[in-house]
Structure formats: structure tokens, C-alpha cells
Amino acid sequence: MSTQTVTVTGMTCGHCATSVREEVGGIPGVHTVDVDLATGLVTIHSESQLDPVAVSAAVHEAGYAVAN
């Protein structure tokens, strides 16, 4: 089991968090995605370490960006 945390910018509401949770949760191997709307922290629990490009692409698909 692997845990990764990224900061997502631009989320302002529960719908934003849900969109990010659904897109990141669709990455193969992801078990759970926890989104803290107040801080922008997204914690991803997966079978193994995820490719940061795949995570960024999923966040972008949801309409947001991963902070550098």
C-alpha cells in the first residue's frame, strides 16, 4: 500500500472536491482519495506509487491543477 499527497489549487466547494476525488479515484490501483477542501490537500491511497503525471492529468481533467 502506498500513500501520496498533492496540493490541488482552485477548489472552492464540495462539488470541486468530488470532481477531483472521482477523477483521481479512476486511476488504476487507487483505493481511496481523501480531499481536504480547506487546505487543498489530496491524499491518495493506492496499491503502489503512482506516476505524478497520471495524478496531474486526472486533477487537470477535473478542472484543477496540482501546485508545484
Side-chain angles (χ1 to χ4, degrees):
M1 188 68 113
S2 177
T3 301
Q4 292 171 251
T5 303
V6 296
T7 301
V8 175
T9 59
M11 295 187 298
T12 59
C13 66
H15 182 265
C16 300
T18 299
S19 295
V20 170
R21 189 178 299 111
E22 288 176 356
E23 290 296 335
V24 174
I27 298 172
V30 171
H31 291 286
T32 60
V33 180
D34 299 314
V35 178
D36 184 330
L37 186 58
T39 63
L41 289 179
V42 177
T43 305
I44 307 160
H45 304 280
S46 58
E47 292 175 11
S48 59
Q49 191 74 7
L50 299 175
D51 180 358
V53 174
V55 174
S56 291
V59 170
H60 180 75
E61 185 66 28
Y64 306 96
V66 173
N68 293 330

